[in-house]
Amino acid sequence: MSKLRPILITMGVLCGTLLAALVLIESASAGAECASLGGGCDDSNGGWDPMAKLDEIGNVTATQQSAGTNWAKKSREIRWGMNSSQGAEDEKGEENESAVAPDSVPQAEVEEAKDVQIAAPLKLKELQINMTRSLKAREMLLPLDEVDDADDADDADILLDVSENSSLHIEGSIYIPYMEFFLQPGILKQADEVASILGEAGISREDSVVIYGECLPCGGGPSVATYVYWMMKSLGHEKAKVLDGTAEDWATAGGATSGSAEVLPRKEYIPLVNSNYTATFDLVKSGQVQIIDARTPPEFAMGTIPGSISMPYESVLADKKITGEDRLDMVFMVLNKNQPVVVFTNTGMKGSVVWFALEMMGYDARLYSYQDWMANQQPDLREVDGSGGLNETAI
């Protein structure tokens, strides 16, 4: 045992020396990488001190010192051989980047955002969302850029805002909230009463009228405008159109608006009721028409008129306007154009959007209500209008 002791001591010394050498070599290598990557280095003495690193061995509280202020320049010199002047612009860029939040927007998106901020107001034609309207469609829809195009003031269209609560009108519009035409939800007033309301507002049956408006509680869209259009066509009004857009679209395009409506002299409105726009219970149950349920799919699933096709009213809209005719062709491809079509929703209001689109596409379409269908399932609840007015179908 006494002979082995010197050998063991010698081996221990050699191992310790070898370990120290390995630590120094590894640390020196790490120092070079630290300088090249910008890690925690002490540049105050002009370089990395391997002895200082060795002093940390066994000291669990020792930490790396903070990086020197010139670590980026040192990194360029060691890694890419760049001099200080070559890196000057990079340092400036790095300083700018340090001021940017971690979730900052990519530069390309920033440039795009700048373009949006300085963009000029949209032109009226740009608001037609690149839809090409046929001549037939333009007989029913008036583009925004054709408002006030009449050369003679006497031939100018009467703009009729039928929104539920409107504080923004296209300048020169008259205002009749669509609810004024109803006796109760889903039931229109008698034809002569509706005619009186229109006459008091300064409209005659011979006038050219452009209807616009939204029911925001109903989700927006043109349903109130298309419904009043249907109502006026049922009164025999020939020269009626729906505006292909909203008052907000008009304002966005820089069109003149007003917080108050125009007041026109009273006129006499003589109705000429046309029943060809309205479906009756007998027609619906006859089996001779195609029936469209324009309510939502959940409503359709809860119960519908037998034989109905589910076609939610939103399927004919794009950006809250009547969609393009190519799209409508696809939506209506399940229908036979040679057979009459009846469209219904609970009261007919939203169904009028699909009815309008069908008429625009050349279908023989009529409007109906689920209210009337259900009332006719219980004869004692059936609405009767002996005058032959618009309430004949309880829409």
Side-chain angles (χ1 to χ4, degrees), residues 20-41 48-51 53 64 78-79:
L22 288 173
V23 169
L24 290 175
I25 293 171
E26 182 180 356
S27 300
S29 174
E33 183 178 7
C34 177
S36 70
L37 293 175
C41 310
W48 181 81
D49 186 357
M51 297 309 297
K53 186 68 179 178
Q64 258 187 335
I78 295 176
R79 188 177 291 275

Side-chain angles (χ1 to χ4, degrees), residues 243-379:
L243 185 65
D244 201 2
T246 65
E248 287 71 22
D249 293 333
W250 174 263
T252 299
T257 59
S258 174
S260 58
E262 191 80 5
V263 178
L264 300 180
R266 185 189 180 283
K267 293 181 182 178
E268 185 177 11
Y269 194 106
I270 303 174
L272 185 61
V273 176
N274 184 347
S275 61
N276 291 330
Y277 296 100
T278 304
T280 63
F281 174 75
D282 289 337
L283 177 64
V284 173
K285 72 174 184 177
S286 70
Q288 298 176 357
V289 294
Q290 303 168 95
I291 306 173
I292 292 177
D293 186 338
R295 300 175 302 162
T296 63
E299 289 174 303
F300 177 81
M302 290 176 65
T304 188
I305 297 174
S308 298
I309 301 168
S310 178
M311 190 178 292
Y313 76 97
E314 290 182 337
S315 63
V316 302
L317 297 178
D319 194 25
K320 296 187 178 181
K321 298 187 248 317
I322 302 294
T323 193
E325 289 159 86
D326 289 345
R327 170 65 180 168
L328 290 177
D329 275 332
M330 296 176 62
V331 173
F332 298 149
M333 66 186 299
V334 297
L335 300 174
N336 179 357
K337 205 165 188 177
N338 298 318
Q339 185 180 5
V341 185
V342 171
V343 184
F344 76 91
T345 48
N346 289 329
T347 65
M349 179 74 71
K350 291 182 177 179
S352 69
V353 178
V354 179
W355 169 85
F356 185 93
L358 285 164
E359 283 281 317
M360 194 177 84
M361 297 298 289
Y363 287 81
D364 177 9
R366 300 188 181 205
L367 191 60
Y368 190 58
S369 76
Y370 198 53
Q371 248 181 16
D372 186 70
W373 175 263
M374 294 304 294
N376 276 281
Q377 309 310 303
Q378 305 174 63

